[in-house]
Amino acid sequence: MDKLLVHGDSTLQGSINISGSKNASLPILASTLLSSQASIVRRVPDVSDTNYMLQILRALGAEVERSSGTVRVEPSTISPEAPYDLVRKMRASICVMGPLLARVGRAKISLPGGCIIGDRPVDLHIKAMQGLGATVEMEGGDIVLSAPDGLVGAEIDMRGKHGPTVLGTDNLMMAATLARGTTVIDSAASEPEVVDLADFLVKMGARISGAGTRRIVVEGVEQLKGVEHNIIPDRIEAGTFMVAGAMAGEGVTLKRVRADHLGAATDILEEAGHGVKFNSDGTEVHITPGASPKGCDISTAPFPGFPTDMQAQFTAMFATTPGISVVEDTIFPQRFMHCSEMKRMGAEIKVDGGSALIRGVTNLSAAPVMASDLRASAALVLAALRARGTTEINRLYHIDRGYEHIDEKLLQLGAKVERVPA
Ligand code: EPU
């Protein structure tokens, strides 16, 4: 179990490449199961969550080869049972449910357990599969779904208490590709990762329209084929390094980004007084810290709103930005674990319900802190860049779930960081 030492008061400069999106890779790798032919997926980030997904695909019977960012999956014959010891490691393993049910008429998946960022039910995933005609039973902690005569298209509303569900929309869209007839997904998630999955499925031969809007229409087809695909850039990794550039940079350039995915982060950084400049085709962004930054208020929302996955990182930025900021998380109202750790570093933050009230301080001070989830850990790294002294971030495995070689990228920008065994 590694830990990260961050020697504070670093100045970041230079450029790095942003990796392929973790959250687009996971459902796209799962959707390769929809065909018996081999698919090749490129720019899959080398993070532990994509490795778990590949282990699950192997356990289901697929042949999997990985060579750096390129993954080849050949699922000629597959079994419908996803093993508990793998599924429990990653909540996103739920997204093999739709493909298994569509391809083999059965899926047995352990119910994902609790999660530090809040209660994360799967009721909408189940509702979606039932809407397509599957029967659902609980058996010793497993969800067992079956549709021996195949799935049938239907009109299904995916809106939950906290808005649309991303992986729920993915699961339904994947299952509907092989259902008889037409499926209409109302209140669909419109995140760029959903659009990337739809693009992949369309290449496979699926008939999908409306991805990226709140209403997706899928006309079922008989079968899908294996294809090749490049994953979109990781907008959350990009947003995290944009914040790093604003907090501790002297001119940081991020390459391989997509401006159209970074609108909400760009707006807040500019409102806070920082410089954000994209090149003409929106694939590179240059961040310059503002001379007199100021606090802002943000509230998370589904895309194109401000992403919950960037809430913790912006909270870290506001912790050292003069003035008062209010950060509200409407999607995961309990996702504020990073605040208690940042308070140990001298941040002035009051968490109340689903909001954090932050009074910016001039400097943070180093302390041993504990990473609690992926984005909370990234926030601690950002805070540590602005702290006096050496911050020790424990439980680094959280960050390794979703940030590809974060320590190497920080070193490349001139930060003083060391990964050491705990
Ligand atoms: N929800 C339900 N019922 C369901 C499913 C979700 O009530 O059956 C609720 C959730 O509890 C939450 C809201 O709906 O309040 C939205 O959750 P969603 O289902 O959209 O989350 P997800 O699809 O499981 C993905 C990302 C998360 C990201 C969320 C929201 C992946 C692999 N994960 O999760 O990413 O926070 O969408 O944008 O795509 C991360 O990368 O750190 C991460 C947690």
Side-chain angles (χ1 to χ4, degrees):
M1 212 193 290
D2 291 349
K3 62 185 177 187
L4 192 69
L5 303 181
V6 181
H7 306 289
D9 285 333
S10 299
T11 303
L12 310 191
Q13 217 173 24
S15 70
I16 52 165
N17 288 332
I18 293 303
S19 300
S21 161
K22 164 186 86 84
N23 287 350
S25 298
L26 296 173
I28 286 177
L29 290 171
S31 74
T32 60
L33 296 173
L34 286 163
S35 168
S36 58
Q37 295 177 0
S39 286
I40 294 174
V41 188
R42 298 198 183 83
R43 302 206 55 218
V44 175
D46 181 14
V47 294
S48 44
D49 273 10
T50 60
N51 284 321
Y52 292 142
M53 180 55 81
L54 296 182
Q55 285 176 39
I56 291 170
L57 298 182
R58 272 192 200 105
L60 291 170
E63 273 179 37
V64 177
E65 287 165 31
R66 173 172 210 158
S67 161
S68 69
T70 301
V71 175
R72 181 179 184 278
V73 185
E74 184 164 3
S76 4
T77 47
I78 51 167
S79 112
E81 298 195 10
Y84 171 69
D85 57 330
L86 287 173
V87 170
R88 74 183 171 81
K89 291 187 179 159
M90 182 179 66
R91 219 189 154 277
S93 25
I94 190 82
C95 56
V96 298
M97 178 195 270
L100 288 179
L101 198 54
R103 169 125 176 246
V104 294
R106 190 176 149 82
K108 184 173 172 186
I109 297 168
S110 306
L111 194 60
C115 171
I116 194 87
I117 68 177
D119 183 25
R120 298 184 71 186
V122 292
D123 56 313
L124 295 168
H125 297 252
I126 292 174
K127 174 185 163 187
M129 300 304 127
Q130 283 173 324
L132 295 179
T135 57
V136 180
E137 279 169 25
M138 288 302 303
E139 239 180 59
D142 294 328
I143 317 172
V144 183
L145 303 102
S146 66
D149 301 323
L151 297 168
V152 182
E155 180 153 357
I156 300 169
D157 193 306
M158 292 301 283
R159 191 173 187 81
K161 192 167 74 172
H162 296 289
T165 158
V166 175
L167 292 179
T169 301
D170 289 344
N171 244 332
L172 178 51
M173 189 164 65
M174 292 187 279
T177 57
L178 293 177
R180 280 194 304 283
T182 302
T183 299
V184 178
I185 310 175
D186 288 313
S187 309
S190 62
E191 270 60 15
E193 295 77 18
V194 176
V195 177
D196 203 27
L197 171 64
D199 288 345
F200 180 75
L201 295 170
V202 167
K203 282 186 195 165
M204 292 179 93
R207 295 211 188 120
I208 301 174
S209 59
T213 73
R214 292 270 168 256
R215 188 177 167 90
I216 300 177
V217 179
V218 186
E219 281 174 58
V221 296
E222 291 274 309
Q223 58 180 23
L224 297 174
K225 59 178 191 288
V227 292
E228 299 194 14
H229 186 74
N230 294 333
I231 297 286
I232 55 170
D234 196 310
R235 64 191 168 104
I236 308 300
E237 188 201 17
T240 304
F241 277 102
M242 284 166 82
V243 173
M247 283 179 78
E250 256 180 23
V252 165
T253 301
L254 309 177
K255 297 182 175 171
R256 295 200 193 155
V257 300
R258 278 190 51 172
D260 56 333
H261 295 170
L262 292 167
T266 300
D267 289 350
I268 300 293
L269 284 170
E270 286 180 341
E271 192 186 326
H274 302 293
V276 181
K277 199 165 178 342
F278 285 92
N279 67 348
S280 57
D281 64 0
T283 55
E284 281 187 26
V285 61
H286 185 72
I287 310 294
T288 34
S292 40
K294 64 178 180 65
C296 306
D297 294 349
I298 53 179
S299 180
T300 65
F303 188 82
F306 188 87
T308 171
D309 290 344
M310 269 191 239
Q311 178 264 103
Q313 302 87 316
F314 275 73
T315 300
M317 181 177 90
F318 292 136
T320 54
T321 300
I324 303 279
S325 302
V326 178
V327 174
E328 183 193 22
D329 199 324
T330 58
I331 296 170
F332 293 115
Q334 299 166 47
R335 199 177 198 177
F336 285 100
M337 292 291 285
H338 45 282
C339 293
S340 357
E341 295 301 295
M342 281 194 256
K343 274 155 81 172
R344 301 187 55 249
M345 299 172 73
E348 290 186 20
I349 307 179
K350 191 165 174 285
V351 178
D352 189 9
S355 299
L357 176 82
I358 307 147
R359 185 187 300 274
V361 296
T362 315
N363 279 304
L364 296 172
S365 50
V369 288
M370 197 87 84
S372 57
D373 80 77
L374 174 56
R375 308 304 171 188
S377 328
L380 295 177
V381 173
L382 295 171
L385 291 171
R386 280 293 301 269
R388 288 210 188 99
T390 299
T391 301
E392 184 181 304
I393 302 173
N394 291 286
R395 300 197 181 165
L396 204 55
Y397 57 85
H398 284 294
I399 212 161
D400 291 333
R401 296 187 66 153
Y403 286 90
E404 188 173 50
H405 313 311
I406 192 169
D407 44 332
E408 289 169 24
K409 291 190 183 188
L410 285 166
L411 283 169
Q412 212 177 317
L413 291 174
K416 295 175 214 117
V417 298
E418 287 170 80
R419 180 188 283 265
V420 294

